[in-house]
Amino acid sequence: MSEKSGKKVVIAVDGPAAAGKTTTCLALADTFGLRYLESGRTYRIVAYEALRRGVAVEDGRAVVGLCDDLIDESRSTNLLASTRYEPQELRSISVNRTVSAVARIGELRGRVTELIHLWANAQARCVVEGRDIGTVVFPSARAKFYLTARPETRARRRVQQEGRGSYEEVLKDVIRRDEADMSRSVSPLKPAPDAVEIDTTSLSVNQVVDRMVDVCRTRGVAIS
Ligand code: CDP
């Protein structure tokens, strides 16, 4: 999708676990009527189905085969938009533990990137969040953000948001997934060189959204 060729808008938002990406992106999408995509959900769907169907996540070929089956099974919708899964299924402790192994498989990432491009091509203006959106999926997006916050703040927010799990367990999971996401060889989590980094530790959702809107305006991205 090319932003240059028309009025297409893609806002890319990356960052570590529980940095506030979803809340902020939803607020931005709501305010400006943008379509929103949470790319991590697809990696979670694949991890969830691998666990359910007994596919070994260390076996890259088998996981890619599973992803192809899932794409076939949800042919009419696009796997990204599948409504078959409950949030609590995709955010279970076992999926949290498994998803990093799935997300390091390069060929699987290629499949997910294709699905995101397909989805985004059908949208006029959208905001997409993940780990590699500004670096790999939409490297030429003009508005890119990298949201961060202290791990302790992120864990506290996640416990509050999900209302389950102990703070210590959640903090451990957040740190473990950050390390896995940042150190993998394929599409590691890192800010794109032209991403604007926002530390949300002591900012409200509205303050973060305001900063993003300012950056969009400065970069000539027509969100409103
Ligand atoms: O919501 P939370 O920040 O906990 O994570 P998520 O966005 O649901 O992503 C779950 C996992 O999927 C991440 O820890 C990454 O391993 C992987 N992921 C990725 O590799 N690339 C993306 N674009 C999005 C997620």
Side-chain angles (χ1 to χ4, degrees):
M1 150 146 62
S2 164
E3 285 177 288
K4 287 187 194 103
S5 60
K7 286 193 175 159
K8 286 255 183 204
V9 168
V10 181
I11 299 175
V13 181
D14 293 301
K21 300 184 297 292
T22 303
T23 316
T24 317
C25 289
L26 280 172
L28 194 70
D30 218 39
T31 310
F32 296 102
L34 310 170
R35 295 296 308 279
Y36 161 69
L37 184 71
E38 185 186 8
S39 63
R41 190 168 178 277
T42 309
Y43 292 99
R44 286 180 180 274
I45 290 174
V46 176
Y48 171 79
E49 289 290 1
L51 288 167
R52 203 169 69 91
R53 301 182 189 198
V55 173
V57 288
E58 301 73 31
D59 184 345
R61 260 170 194 270
V63 175
V64 172
L66 166 66
C67 180
D68 287 339
D69 289 346
L70 293 171
I71 291 171
D72 279 350
E73 288 166 24
S74 66
R75 216 174 305 140
S76 58
T77 45
N78 186 342
L79 180 60
L80 296 172
S82 171
T83 51
R84 274 174 42 187
Y85 303 93
E86 297 294 333
Q88 63 269 26
E89 289 174 333
L90 299 183
R91 297 205 153 264
S92 68
I93 293 171
S94 50
V95 169
N96 280 347
R97 285 204 189 112
T98 311
V99 69
S100 321
V102 161
R104 76 168 75 99
I105 302 168
E107 207 176 330
L108 177 78
R109 301 197 69 83
R111 296 284 202 284
V112 175
T113 299
E114 276 173 29
L115 290 175
I116 299 173
H117 285 163
L118 211 62
W119 177 88
N121 269 329
Q123 320 301 332
R125 304 179 321 139
C126 61
V127 52
V128 183
E129 68 148 278
R131 301 294 191 285
D132 60 343
I133 307 304
T135 49
V136 175
V137 182
F138 295 112
S140 53
R142 277 184 290 156
K144 293 182 187 174
F145 299 93
Y146 189 85
L147 302 190
T148 59
R150 290 179 59 229
E152 294 78 9
T153 308
R154 294 190 273 127
R156 218 172 298 120
R157 285 179 185 161
R158 183 52 52 98
V159 171
Q160 226 167 20
Q161 177 192 10
E162 293 192 343
R164 63 170 173 81
S166 74
Y167 166 77
E168 285 75 19
E169 276 166 3
V170 173
L171 179 62
K172 235 192 262 170
D173 174 65
V174 158
I175 292 173
R176 187 191 50 75
R177 277 198 295 127
D178 286 355
E179 278 169 7
D181 290 343
M182 288 173 185
S183 66
R184 68 179 172 228
S185 54
V186 194
S187 311
L189 168 65
K190 61 178 176 190
D194 53 347
V196 171
E197 294 196 40
I198 304 177
D199 184 336
T200 72
T201 305
S202 45
L203 296 178
S204 67
V205 175
N206 283 346
Q207 285 173 315
V208 180
V209 170
D210 287 348
R211 281 199 195 179
M212 292 168 97
V213 171
D214 283 348
V215 171
C216 287
R217 295 209 168 115
T218 312
R219 293 192 176 185
V221 176
I223 61 168
S224 56

